[in-house]
Amino acid sequence: MKTVYIISGVKNLGVEYQHLQWLRMFFLNIDYRLSEDWIHHSLSIKNNKPRFSSAPNFDYMKAATDGINDSDLLVCLISESSTFVLTMLRYAIHKGKKSIVICKNRRQLKGLEYGNSYLLEIYNFANYKEKIRRKYAENRCHRFG
C-alpha cells in the first residue's frame, strides 16, 4: 500500500481545509495510506471552522520530515506563501520524493529549484481535482466524485 503525506500551512488553514479534506478522502478511497501528520494533534473545529492549536511537546518539524521520509508521495497546498511548506517541499525533492504542488500560480514557487522535474507536478486550485483524479484513480476500481 502506498503512503501519501499532505501538508498545508497553518496560517492558510481556513482557505485550504476543504482542499485538504478532499485530498485525504480521495487518496484513502484509492487505497493509499495517510502518513501521520499534525492534524491529529492540533486541529479542532469551532463554529464549523478549522482551528490550529499548538500541541505541547510535539515536534512539528520532525513529524513533517518523518512523514516525508515514510511516504511515497507528498502533496503540498499553497494558497498563500508558506516558508514551512516550501522548506518541506525542498526537502522532499532533495530526498527524491514524488511531489504534487497545488497553488494559485507558479510565482508562489519562486526560488524553488525543481531539480528532477519528473518528481514534481504543479496544479492550480481550479483544476487539480480532475487532473489528480485522472492520473491517480484512472486504473483503480474505486470511484471518487
Side-chain angles (χ1 to χ4, degrees):
M1 180 179 284
K2 292 192 174 193
T3 301
V4 62
Y5 182 67
I6 304 168
I7 189 166
S8 170
V10 295
K11 71 179 181 179
N12 307 323
L13 193 55
V15 173
E16 296 171 356
Y17 184 71
Q18 289 180 343
H19 302 287
L20 181 66
Q21 290 302 82
W22 185 90
L23 288 162
R24 291 168 65 92
M25 294 306 299
F26 172 79
F27 283 106
L28 285 170
N29 193 57
I30 62 168
D31 297 326
Y32 271 69
R33 186 177 75 78
L34 295 177
S35 182
E36 174 66 23
D37 60 26
W38 55 268
I39 286 179
H40 301 291
H41 303 277
S42 308
L43 185 67
S44 63
I45 305 295
K46 293 181 183 175
N47 299 324
N48 292 326
K49 293 183 181 178
R51 303 229 186 242
F52 173 80
S53 301
S54 191
N57 302 318
F58 184 76
D59 187 342
Y60 291 94
M61 185 63 76
K62 182 174 181 348
T65 54
D66 287 350
I68 291 167
N69 290 330
D70 296 340
S71 68
D72 300 293
L73 176 66
L74 172 70
V75 179
C76 297
L77 290 169
I78 306 175
S79 62
E80 297 295 329
S81 292
S82 170
T83 302
F84 178 73
V85 176
L86 285 175
T87 299
M88 293 299 97
L89 178 58
R90 283 184 181 95
Y91 178 75
I93 291 169
H94 171 75
K95 296 298 255 179
K97 296 292 182 170
K98 187 166 179 58
S99 302
I100 295 172
V101 173
I102 301 166
C103 58
K104 288 182 180 176
N105 58 60
R106 289 179 183 251
R107 285 182 301 209
Q108 293 172 294
L109 304 177
K110 185 179 178 181
L112 179 69
E113 293 290 328
Y114 294 169
N116 297 326
S117 59
Y118 68 91
L119 291 174
L120 183 62
E121 299 170 48
I122 303 171
Y123 302 127
N124 64 47
F125 281 97
N127 65 13
Y128 78 91
K129 290 180 184 178
E130 184 55 37
K131 290 184 177 187
I132 288 175
R133 213 184 271 122
R134 196 174 323 133
K135 181 164 185 163
Y136 290 89
E138 158 177 284
N139 296 322
R140 305 278 182 171
C141 56
H142 296 89
R143 293 245 172 221
F144 190 80

